[in-house]
Amino acid sequence: MVTERAREFDTQDLLINVGPQHPSTHGVFRMVLEVDGELVKDVIPYIGYLHRGAEKLCETMDYRQGIGFMDRTEYLAAFNAELSYVMAVEELAGLEVPERAQWIRMILCELNRLSSHFMFLGAFGVDTGVMGTPFIYGWREREMLIDLFEEISGDRMMYAYFRPGGLAWDVTRNFKERVREVIKSSAQGIKDFDGLFTENEIFVARTKGIGYISAEDAIDYGMSGPSIRASGVPLDVRRDEPYLKYSEVDFQVVTGQHGDVFDRYACRLQEMRESIKIIEQCLDKMADTGPIMPEKMPRMLRTPPGEVYMRTEAPRGEYGIYLVSNGGNRPYRLKVRSACLSNLQALKQMSVGLYVADAILVLGSIDIVLSEVDR
Amino acid sequence: MKGIARSLMTTLSTFSRKPVTRDYPNVHKPLPERDRAFPLLLWDQDIDEPFCTGCHACERACPVECMTVLMKDNPNHKTVGGTSTRRKIIDKFWIDYARCMRCNICVEVCNFDAIAMNNTWTGHEMSVHDRKDLVIDLQGLLAQSRAGAIKEWVPVLGQTNE
Amino acid sequence: MTSEEATQPVPANDFSGTIWAEVDRALSGITARPEAGVKDVIVHIPRDEVIAGLRRLKADAALHFDYLRCLSGIDREADGIEVVYHLYSTDKKHNLTVKTTLPMDDLNVATATTVWRGANWLERETAEMFGVRFTGHPDPRTLLMPEDMTDVHPLLKSHPLAEIEVLQGEGMGYPEEGA
Amino acid sequence: MPAADLLLSNYVAVLLATIVGFILVLTALIAARLLAPYSQETGKSTTYECGMVPLRRASTNVGMRFYLYAILFVIFDVEAVFIFPWALTFVEVGQFAYWLMVAFIAILALGLGYAWKKGALQWR
Amino acid sequence: MTTSLWGMDINVWANAAIRLQIIVLVMTVVVMGLIWAERRILGRFQQRIGPQKTGPFGLLQSVADAVKLVGKEDLRPKNADPWTFELAPFLVFIPIFMGFVVVPFIAGWNISVLELGLLYFVAISSVNIVGWVMAGWGSDNRYAMIGGLRAAAQSISYELPLVLSLVSVAMFAGTMNLDEMVRQQAAVPYIVWQPMAFAIFFIAALAELNRAPFDIPVGESEVVGGPFVEYSGIRWSMFMLAEYAGLFIMAIIGASVFLGGYIWPFGEELGRGWQLMLISAKAGLIIFVVFWIRASLPRLRIDQLMGYSWKVLLPLVLLQVLVNGLILVNGWSEVILGVTGLAGVVALVTITGRAANRPRSILARPAAVKVEAA
């Protein structure tokens, strides 16, 4: 009798399904939270809702056809994804990219980083509970950037603009003025976000000290991008293994100290300012005219047998392309190393022991793109 | 409280700015020349026939296999008393817009500049109730160019300005 | 990034200027065969010793490969399946590729989660895509595929691509309607 | 009209407001029942669970640190009930009434402090 | 029993019924107006336009919404508890509606003048939380359940600061008759003498109304709408109606008790038109600030919210009551009241700022929870 009564009044852990259709899962991510009252005791993530087999598909496509699929693996920063892919092909085929094309690629990638981070700030702001305002701020600036991308590449998200060897076609004639115009507006957007969040007591109280991950754990989990830099690990492919012309520009690798949600937010915000600095330097150093493709390009690109693991710094972290060729005009094996997949692994470590509301913020702070996680 | 006041002032400053949204179905944003909607075929106004000869180049290059091309002998060819120099001409052409991923490869591989990406709003506003209605046939693909309602931009791979 | 580098691989026995010497020292007692890659040095280690080798590469003070960049598989058809580990050192800033080959009839290899926790999901993905079994894996569920789809391994070369449904042309229709 | 009647007549409105409010909601519900479509489809009547089949019934015993707050609330609400009549009359009664209330609030504040120190105010 | 309405003697029941009918109309129109205004104002804060298609400036948007909601299928989950689920909208809406009885719109335009109007108001305004908990529990939905429990915890915690801040004003006014209180403010509104009480009233009112930044029970990013996640169509609109009617009442009460209601600064002579303008302007200002805050501030976390009420607001407002008593019982000048109130506001601001910016401490994990490899 006593035990029965005890069981009747025992509290039970509640399993809460967050996702795949939940307002704050940033796509089709599902996690089951085991909560005791409001405290998260366990997190079980489920991914794969957006798995399309891009790797397998690319094995049947020649190198040019694969570009479109790479766009779709990382739809918020498609230039960065394309870049990784075409550079992997160039490494294998031994193509020399004209200097001007490299500068243009670099500008576009940094602009894409800006647009991706604006998206993060907007979505993260909504996660913290501001009614829509950050989202519109983010989209306002992103729209300016996307308009520019559309003028150059013709598409707003899936650019298909980088090609092995260079670029598909040249940029528009008023490219430099337009970029200057856009980064000016982006600077205003960063200022708005800074004013809205950085000092706001409620935001600070909500984000500081939660979602902590130590530098050792972050390295162990293979995290990358702003998520690991917030823990104080200065890991940045742009600086450590410079590609394009990153060795010729001056920028700082932004790191945090506390490894918490606020630092991940602050790192991204600061990183955007660094991106603007990089773009300004690129604009100064870039020639107005010049070739954007090597003079002799085969009609159908073939690569010698071999393999290369090409990594670049995408907005969410290290975006790697492991390309294995057996001498044909198509990849023998293509593996996309997704930054979000590795970052997402640390979710449990970061959110166990927090409140439910904090777990949502932690998920928001690692800025996942599910199409990249699932590919 | 200082930070809260700062956020309130930030939102207040946007309160006084001009709205950034567009009244979409009534006001369309001007599309850039390079805008890519879906591919369509171009009409040779001089000879009054399509540029396309049905050479299958685009069909072979399409990564998503959204095109179907059939060619035929040109009934308007000079040898049979016509005005055209094209020996072969397109007979039937279908593009499944539901599958097309707008990668522009078909435009790049075309040897006759016969295909271009639609850069008008007509190409974007294509919602239908059935996927089958997104399979466009030759007449549909040519209609816009035939009516002169498109200013095509055919990019050449790696072309520079000028 | 010059064309010579790529088209003329370095002779198989010349690894001066690479970290192979260091790796060789660290891996003493473990069978390891170097190969020149386009960007990184590749080290082949037999399956039974690969985890011990990886652990030693991580622990070695001069190499200190503490960061697992990527873990993937390659289906070499008749030659079996290669499991590839891309390593990186966050403080020494150098890279290494480690490969181990599994014969097609025995796709077992010890798990690397004991070396890097980050290998967890990457191994789960490789396992379901190639049918490799990582023995000792703490959580051997499927990652991207449905939970009951454990017998299908899509990235194997023997696995066919799905047919593209034909929807075009005259008499078009969905396959089940009889095109 | 006697004062008591006047007082009561003022509360007539309260009674009527309850009834009118009830009727208002009821009319809306009836209107919806008449106007809204209704279809017997089982899928619609499952609980929203982010698109998944519900894991198990939600009404389990959940350990919210809720009862401590409820008790604290009852204590302080009783205090509020005492303060209300006091607030209107203490000026006339004078210093004695004031210091009595000070003592009363002080005792409660001690209790609050104790609860605070014991960590009862830490929501989990 | 008779009373007078428009100069005529009329039965009290008929009088109350007529006045209530007018309130029903006014409430409906005002609530629709508020929803429209909120969407337009939020839109402007976010550099959007807001509703604009239905009628001039989208004014008829709420009408369109109402029509749509009436025509929407009214679903009840099959696991839901029928009685609690069906009754919850009644219990959410009726108490709010009953609150209208004492609202002093302008002189002579209230439904009824209760001697204990303030007490009645604070008593009735917290009853609707029962409806919220019923909705949360009855839906058999995890989010609704958590939302309902949060709503209950939040409501009872902020009830006390709200009540006590009003008590401190009542002490000063010496009455609980709202009409009488407004009339006393002909020269100086009470906010001058009781600034901290107003600040606490405003904060607690936001929490009672579940408005940002205290919209934890309904937080979309966590509990997807909270207690009314399973409600659809007209039943859902009852929750909305109650929310905005509550906002309307709270704004008018706040304007009446602290900002001089319909009387300050013009007095009673200028006629009803001016009085109406005054009360609309004051209540409108409060409502605008509520919308503004919603557009700008993130949501608090539940423990911070509870802590803020019990550890900051409650001690401060108790102190205010005692200080008020000390000054009034000794017959000291009112200026001292104002000064102490201002000091209280400074204290409130400082404590809030320090609580938010305390040094980062990694949240201690409960010992029972062990983190192993993911």
Side-chain angles (χ1 to χ4, degrees):
Chain A
M1 192 64 198
V2 175
T3 50
E4 218 160 86
R5 274 188 68 84
R7 202 172 302 133
E8 195 177 326
F9 289 106
D10 264 358
T11 59
Q12 289 155 17
D13 293 340
L14 200 60
L15 289 177
I16 303 183
N17 226 333
V18 179
Q21 291 184 25
H22 187 278
S24 57
T25 49
H26 302 257
V28 280
F29 174 68
R30 175 183 172 213
M31 58 178 177
V32 176
L33 299 179
E34 190 184 335
V35 296
D36 171 22
E38 290 257 340
L39 284 179
V40 176
K41 283 176 76 180
D42 197 4
V43 182
I44 311 162
Y46 291 90
I47 60 171
Y49 290 95
L50 215 55
H51 177 59
R52 292 146 299 173
E55 295 169 4
K56 178 89 174 172
L57 275 171
C58 283
E59 288 175 14
T60 66
M61 310 263 163
D62 68 41
Y63 288 118
R64 179 162 64 180
Q65 288 175 331
I67 296 169
F69 287 90
M70 287 303 110
D71 282 338
R72 280 152 182 83
T73 59
E74 162 69 302
Y75 52 70
L76 286 184
F79 275 133
N80 288 279
E82 278 173 31
L83 177 75
S84 219
Y85 179 74
V86 297
M87 278 173 61
V89 178
E90 283 156 10
E91 285 281 326
L92 267 187
L95 287 170
E96 189 79 52
V97 183
E99 197 161 309
R100 183 153 174 275
Q102 294 198 26
W103 286 115
I104 293 173
R105 280 180 179 186
M106 208 161 132
I107 292 172
L108 291 176
C109 284
E110 289 302 320
L111 285 172
N112 216 173
R113 188 185 312 277
L114 280 178
S115 84
S116 169
H117 281 354
F118 272 125
M119 184 73 212
F120 159 78
L121 290 171
F124 181 66
V126 172
D127 281 349
T128 61
V130 193
M131 162 70 201
T133 311
F135 209 71
I136 302 278
Y137 283 10
W139 272 101
R140 183 184 76 204
E141 302 310 333
R142 201 175 131 77
E143 183 71 18
M144 303 286 289
L145 290 156
I146 286 181
D147 278 349
L148 174 65
F149 296 154
E150 192 186 10
E151 277 166 38
I152 293 162
S153 75
D155 210 309
R156 296 170 71 80
M157 280 175 88
M158 312 301 173
Y159 312 111
Y161 182 57
F162 296 165
R163 295 294 146 90
L167 306 170
W169 47 84
D170 205 345
V171 290
T172 48
R173 225 164 280 135
N174 58 352
F175 177 66
K176 283 188 172 179
E177 294 87 75
R178 284 285 290 131
V179 174
R180 288 216 166 86
E181 206 175 290
V182 164
I183 56 176
K184 214 174 132 202
S185 118
S186 292
Q188 174 65 39
I190 296 170
K191 229 169 97 188
D192 279 350
F193 273 111
D194 201 22
L196 193 61
F197 285 143
T198 311
E199 283 175 25
N200 188 327
E201 273 87 356
I202 299 179
F203 183 82
V204 166
R206 277 303 300 281
T207 52
K208 272 192 184 165
I210 65 160
Y212 169 73
I213 190 153
S214 67
E216 294 76 35
D217 282 345
I219 292 174
D220 204 22
Y221 276 116
M223 290 171 77
S224 51
S227 302
I228 196 174
R229 290 199 283 273
S231 294
V233 185
L235 195 68
D236 191 326
V237 187
R238 289 178 295 174
R239 186 198 58 182
D240 298 340
E241 298 167 318
Y243 52 96
L244 294 180
K245 295 280 179 188
Y246 278 108
S247 50
E248 294 179 27
V249 294
D250 175 37
F251 68 101
Q252 276 189 330
V253 176
V254 186
T255 54
Q257 291 152 13
H258 306 277
D260 57 5
V261 171
F262 183 83
D263 273 14
R264 288 197 272 279
Y265 154 80
C267 271
R268 289 200 170 88
L269 200 69
Q270 190 56 37
E271 210 175 285
M272 287 163 77
R273 299 199 178 102
E274 293 295 327
S275 282
I276 288 183
K277 257 196 258 167
I278 294 176
I279 294 167
E280 276 165 354
Q281 294 175 43
C282 292
L283 286 174
D284 292 341
K285 295 189 177 184
M286 188 187 120
D288 279 324
T289 51
I292 52 164
M293 276 291 230
E295 302 220 330
K296 275 207 289 192
M297 273 294 288
R299 206 173 153 76
M300 177 59 83
L301 188 67
R302 286 171 195 280
T303 51
E307 62 173 62
V308 64
Y309 176 75
M310 187 66 222
R311 51 263 169 178
T312 57
E313 187 73 18
R316 264 157 284 279
E318 180 187 313
Y319 188 92
I321 294 281
Y322 180 41
L323 185 67
V324 183
S325 161
N326 63 349
N329 63 353
R330 56 185 59 176
Y332 181 75
R333 162 85 169 112
L334 181 84
K335 158 83 184 165
V336 179
R337 187 267 193 212
S338 148
C340 294
L341 184 91
S342 298
N343 291 353
L344 203 52
Q345 285 193 70
L347 179 68
K348 182 175 175 179
Q349 169 96 10
M350 287 192 271
S351 47
V352 167
L354 302 177
Y355 292 88
V356 176
D358 290 340
I360 301 285
L361 279 190
V362 172
L363 177 65
S365 75
I366 53 179
D367 189 19
I368 47 169
V369 166
L370 263 299
S371 72
E372 193 202 340
V373 175
D374 297 344
R375 303 179 297 284
Chain B
M1 284 305 210
K2 193 174 130 250
I4 288 179
R6 202 176 149 203
S7 346
L8 288 171
M9 290 335 281
T10 308
T11 41
L12 194 66
S13 85
T14 44
F15 191 83
S16 56
R17 289 184 215 162
K18 221 170 131 269
V20 287
T21 47
R22 258 181 231 106
D23 185 7
Y24 161 60
N26 303 336
V27 181
H28 284 99
K29 151 186 133 68
L31 288 178
E33 190 190 28
R34 298 176 177 190
D35 178 77
R36 301 204 303 266
F38 290 102
L40 44 66
L41 295 179
L42 298 177
W43 187 259
D44 190 347
Q45 301 284 5
D46 298 336
I47 314 175
D48 209 33
E49 67 179 18
F51 281 113
C52 180
T53 58
C55 68
H56 295 272
C58 52
E59 190 188 19
R60 276 197 296 272
C62 181
V64 288
E65 301 177 25
C66 71
M67 296 177 169
T68 312
V69 183
L70 292 173
M71 66 157 64
K72 67 177 178 192
D73 291 332
N74 193 352
N76 192 25
H77 191 245
K78 288 203 167 110
T79 51
V80 291
T83 51
S84 168
T85 52
R86 293 184 186 87
R87 194 175 298 276
K88 298 278 184 186
I89 200 148
I90 187 72
D91 180 21
K92 288 173 179 157
F93 203 123
W94 290 278
I95 301 182
D96 186 352
Y97 280 1
R99 198 184 288 155
C100 171
M101 66 178 201
R102 311 190 328 283
C103 62
N104 205 47
I105 288 177
C106 51
V107 182
E108 281 163 23
V109 297
C110 186
N111 297 317
F112 305 96
D113 286 354
I115 192 163
M117 301 302 270
N118 194 342
N119 57 2
T120 63
W121 272 100
T122 331
H124 285 283
E125 293 166 327
M126 300 210 57
S127 57
V128 292
H129 287 289
D130 190 347
R131 275 168 62 197
K132 287 184 207 166
D133 296 342
L134 283 174
V135 181
I136 312 290
D137 62 3
L138 184 62
Q139 296 311 315
L141 291 169
L142 282 168
Q144 217 175 329
S145 174
R146 197 170 188 175
I150 183 165
K151 198 168 156 282
E152 70 270 17
W153 183 74
V154 183
V156 180
L157 195 66
Q159 77 177 14
T160 48
N161 286 331
E162 303 319 316
Chain C
M1 230 200 271
T2 55
S3 54
E4 284 84 71
E5 254 178 45
T7 48
Q8 299 168 6
V10 191
N13 53 3
D14 179 20
F15 287 96
S16 55
T18 67
I19 58 166
W20 165 243
E22 286 285 322
V23 172
D24 198 21
R25 178 188 56 72
L27 290 180
S28 62
I30 290 175
T31 338
R33 179 170 59 83
E35 186 193 329
V38 176
K39 266 177 103 80
D40 314 325
V41 176
I42 305 168
V43 178
H44 290 267
I45 305 179
R47 150 173 68 161
D48 299 331
E49 292 166 298
V50 67
I51 298 301
L54 291 173
R55 190 167 289 126
R56 225 183 275 177
L57 287 172
K58 186 186 178 186
D60 189 88
L63 291 168
H64 198 235
F65 285 110
D66 54 350
Y67 188 84
L68 178 68
R69 272 201 147 129
C70 185
L71 191 159
S72 57
I74 308 170
D75 179 13
R76 294 288 187 190
E77 291 173 281
D79 296 339
I81 284 176
E82 281 177 0
V83 178
V84 189
Y85 306 82
H86 291 275
L87 314 185
Y88 181 61
S89 171
T90 50
D91 47 358
K92 305 285 191 295
K93 313 280 184 205
H94 47 215
N95 291 282
L96 186 71
T97 307
V98 176
K99 277 187 176 182
T100 184
T101 311
L102 313 177
M104 264 306 189
D105 50 356
D106 183 18
L107 296 174
N108 286 306
V109 68
T111 176
T113 47
T114 49
V115 190
W116 301 277
R117 269 180 287 174
N120 191 323
W121 284 17
L122 298 167
E123 281 189 353
R124 276 168 73 183
E125 191 193 339
T126 310
E128 70 187 346
M129 292 297 168
F130 292 97
V132 178
R133 273 176 300 281
F134 290 91
T135 49
H137 193 281
D139 184 17
R141 290 177 296 146
T142 57
L143 184 69
L144 298 174
M145 311 250 291
E147 272 153 36
D148 50 353
M149 255 174 96
T150 46
D151 51 342
V152 179
H153 307 298
L155 281 184
L156 289 180
K157 291 284 174 189
S158 55
H159 186 84
L161 268 186
E163 296 249 332
I164 290 187
E165 57 186 310
V166 176
L167 250 178
Q168 297 170 344
E170 289 153 336
M172 98 199 151
Y174 299 105
E176 65 270 18
E177 291 165 10
Chain D
M1 199 161 45
D5 268 6
L6 185 67
L7 190 66
L8 276 183
S9 73
N10 280 332
Y11 283 91
V12 161
V14 177
L15 179 61
L16 268 181
T18 322
I19 298 167
V20 170
F22 186 80
I23 293 172
L24 208 63
V25 181
L26 201 65
T27 351
L29 290 186
I30 290 172
R33 187 50 58 87
L34 295 177
L35 293 173
Y38 188 72
S39 72
Q40 292 282 351
E41 202 191 315
T42 48
K44 280 183 185 171
S45 59
T46 47
T47 314
Y48 166 73
E49 187 84 39
C50 284
M52 305 302 292
V53 178
L55 295 164
R56 57 167 116 115
R57 282 198 72 116
S59 36
T60 50
N61 302 349
V62 188
M64 291 267 183
R65 287 293 177 86
F66 177 60
Y67 309 103
L68 281 171
Y69 282 100
I71 291 166
L72 275 177
F73 170 72
V74 169
I75 294 167
F76 277 88
D77 219 30
V78 170
E79 176 203 285
V81 168
F82 282 125
I83 289 181
F84 262 101
W86 169 83
L88 296 184
T89 53
F90 76 101
V91 179
E92 286 98 79
V93 182
Q95 295 281 355
F96 178 65
Y98 173 69
W99 290 108
L100 266 184
M101 189 49 78
V102 170
F104 181 57
I105 291 180
I107 293 168
L108 280 173
L110 270 179
L112 181 68
Y114 179 72
W116 190 337
K117 190 162 167 287
K118 276 282 173 192
L121 299 184
Q122 180 66 40
W123 176 275
R124 287 184 45 199
Chain E
M1 290 199 292
T2 56
T3 183
S4 73
L5 176 71
W6 297 311
M8 291 176 291
D9 275 358
I10 188 168
N11 182 296
V12 284
W13 290 86
N15 172 41
I18 292 170
R19 283 170 189 256
L20 276 169
Q21 282 312 311
I22 296 170
I23 285 297
V24 169
L25 286 177
V26 169
M27 180 195 71
T28 320
V29 171
V30 168
V31 164
M32 285 183 169
L34 280 182
I35 293 176
W36 171 83
E38 164 148 46
R39 295 178 62 176
R40 288 290 291 198
I41 290 171
L42 274 183
R44 286 309 318 239
F45 275 124
Q46 300 167 355
Q47 282 188 274
R48 293 185 286 121
I49 305 170
Q52 40 160 336
K53 296 284 176 192
T54 39
F57 306 107
L59 266 170
L60 299 178
Q61 184 65 44
S62 300
V63 180
D65 285 348
V67 170
K68 180 206 74 174
L69 284 169
V70 172
K72 243 180 129 172
E73 186 173 351
D74 195 8
L75 295 169
R76 190 179 78 208
K78 68 170 177 281
N79 285 342
D81 187 84
W83 280 97
T84 37
F85 189 84
E86 301 273 350
L87 276 179
F90 290 93
L91 267 145
V92 166
F93 176 71
I94 294 173
I96 296 278
F97 184 71
M98 285 167 77
F100 276 107
V101 170
V102 291
V103 172
F105 292 102
I106 68 170
W109 275 25
N110 37 16
I111 296 177
S112 184
V113 183
L114 301 186
E115 270 312 308
L116 293 173
L118 201 59
L119 184 60
Y120 171 81
F121 170 72
V122 295
I124 212 78
S125 70
S126 59
V127 174
N128 79 328
I129 206 62
V130 177
W132 284 69
V133 177
M134 277 168 72
W137 188 83
S139 304
D140 187 51
N141 181 306
R142 270 152 249 263
Y143 312 109
M145 174 109 156
I146 292 181
L149 288 174
R150 282 176 171 188
Q154 172 177 341
S155 177
I156 61 171
S157 295
Y158 279 83
E159 184 70 17
L160 289 167
L162 183 79
V163 169
L164 290 174
S165 66
L166 288 173
V167 163
S168 63
V169 181
M171 287 165 77
F172 183 64
T175 178
M176 292 208 193
N177 185 330
L178 281 164
D179 225 36
E180 181 63 34
M181 281 173 105
V182 174
R183 233 169 278 132
Q184 285 187 11
Q185 300 178 60
V188 186
Y190 284 157
I191 188 174
V192 176
W193 309 128
Q194 299 281 305
M196 189 178 80
F198 177 69
I200 290 177
F201 168 82
F202 186 73
I203 293 170
L206 282 180
E208 284 285 299
L209 295 167
N210 296 324
R211 302 288 306 185
F214 303 106
D215 54 345
I216 296 170
V218 294
E220 293 93 18
S221 62
E222 300 146 30
V223 289
V224 214
F228 44 78
V229 62
E230 289 294 349
Y231 286 83
S232 61
I234 197 74
R235 257 192 271 254
W236 178 83
S237 74
M238 286 297 126
F239 286 91
M240 280 289 112
L241 189 62
E243 182 183 338
Y244 284 89
L247 177 63
F248 177 39
I249 295 183
M250 208 56 106
I252 293 204
I253 295 277
S256 301
V257 174
F258 290 100
L259 301 181
Y262 52 80
I263 215 157
W264 181 81
F266 295 137
E268 242 175 305
E269 298 83 45
L270 280 173
R272 294 201 160 138
W274 277 102
Q275 292 183 8
L276 200 60
M277 286 223 350
L278 268 182
I279 191 80
S280 318
K282 287 171 186 173
L285 184 70
I286 291 181
I287 289 172
F288 179 80
V289 174
V290 169
F291 292 163
W292 184 10
I293 286 176
R294 187 176 181 204
S296 316
L297 298 188
R299 189 181 300 126
L300 280 166
R301 198 170 59 212
I302 182 83
D303 65 316
Q304 295 164 342
L305 170 101
M306 304 296 280
Y308 191 56
S309 167
W310 289 96
K311 295 176 184 169
V312 179
L313 295 184
L314 189 62
L316 275 176
V317 78
L318 280 175
L319 209 62
Q320 169 89 58
V321 168
L322 292 180
V323 169
N324 274 6
L326 188 66
I327 292 166
L328 289 170
V329 87
N330 287 312
W332 293 341
S333 161
E334 287 168 338
V335 179
I336 303 177
L337 263 185
V339 171
T340 51
L342 275 180
V345 172
V346 172
L348 183 66
V349 168
T350 324
I351 293 172
T352 313
R354 285 186 56 179
N357 282 319
R358 70 182 182 280
R360 281 180 211 204
S361 56
I362 306 310
L363 270 185
R365 293 175 199 278
V369 179
K370 203 170 86 242
V371 184
E372 68 272 13

